[in-house]
């Protein structure tokens, strides 16, 4: 089986991208508010600051408004894995130290002696 990294969306970078795309097209937050029929611009400000992401249907509509694909709006990031291994876990029969050593090597994480 081919290993493929799990895609993760960076909400802050995506928000900055929404701001850039909006400004490049000369649109204001009020323009987006009117287009989406929102009573308040709160949702748009949340998108732009990365506090939330647009729903799929709003993302699709935003792409149509900005004349870009949804993929051009979203910014992908690599997930930061922080695996903590309890010393007792490494002594379990099913999970040998060799297993955990290889796993942490593959994932590029450090082994910690206890869970915090």
């Amino acid at each position: 089986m081919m290993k493929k990294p799990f895609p993760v969306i960076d909400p802050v970078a995506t928000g900055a991208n929404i701001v850039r795309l909006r400004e490049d097209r000369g649109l204001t937050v009020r323009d987006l508010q009117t287009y989406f029929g929102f009573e308040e611009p709160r949702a748009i400000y949340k998108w732009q600051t990365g506090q939330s992401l647009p729903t799929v249907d709003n993302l699709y509509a935003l792409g149509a408004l900005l004349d870009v694909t949804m993929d051009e709006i979203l910014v992908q990031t690599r997930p930061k894995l922080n695996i903590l291994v309890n010393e007792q876990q490494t002594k379990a029969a099913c999970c040998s130290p060799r297993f955990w050593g290889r796993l942490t090597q593959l994932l590029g994480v450090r082994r910690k002696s206890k869970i915090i």
Side-chain angles (χ1 to χ4, degrees):
M1 183 172 142
M2 188 172 114
K3 292 183 182 181
K4 190 170 185 171
F6 188 81
V8 177
I9 298 169
D10 183 333
V12 174
T14 297
N17 198 34
I18 291 171
V19 171
R20 182 186 61 78
L21 292 167
R22 177 183 58 75
E23 290 175 347
D24 286 352
R25 280 136 185 92
L27 297 170
T28 65
V29 170
R30 172 114 9 193
D31 293 332
L32 268 64
Q33 176 186 348
T34 302
Y35 179 76
F36 285 99
F38 297 156
E39 288 186 30
E40 296 181 17
R42 186 175 311 145
I44 296 162
Y45 285 118
K46 284 184 175 184
W47 299 346
Q48 292 185 152
T49 59
Q51 293 176 10
S52 69
L53 291 169
T55 61
V56 174
D57 54 338
N58 284 340
L59 185 63
Y60 185 74
L62 186 60
L65 175 66
L66 300 174
D67 197 29
V68 295
T69 65
M70 292 189 293
D71 281 344
E72 292 174 272
I73 297 171
L74 300 172
V75 177
Q76 185 176 340
T77 186
R78 290 183 56 146
K80 294 179 182 177
L81 296 177
N82 187 14
I83 295 179
L84 301 177
V85 179
N86 187 317
E87 199 62 38
Q88 290 176 336
Q89 288 174 317
T90 62
K91 294 178 182 177
C94 67
C95 302
S96 69
R98 182 176 174 196
F99 168 82
W100 283 108
R102 181 71 178 134
L103 177 65
T104 56
Q105 180 186 19
L106 288 172
L107 296 176
V109 296
R110 294 185 316 222
R111 184 172 159 216
K112 302 214 177 189
S113 60
K114 60 181 173 179
I115 297 177
I116 300 173

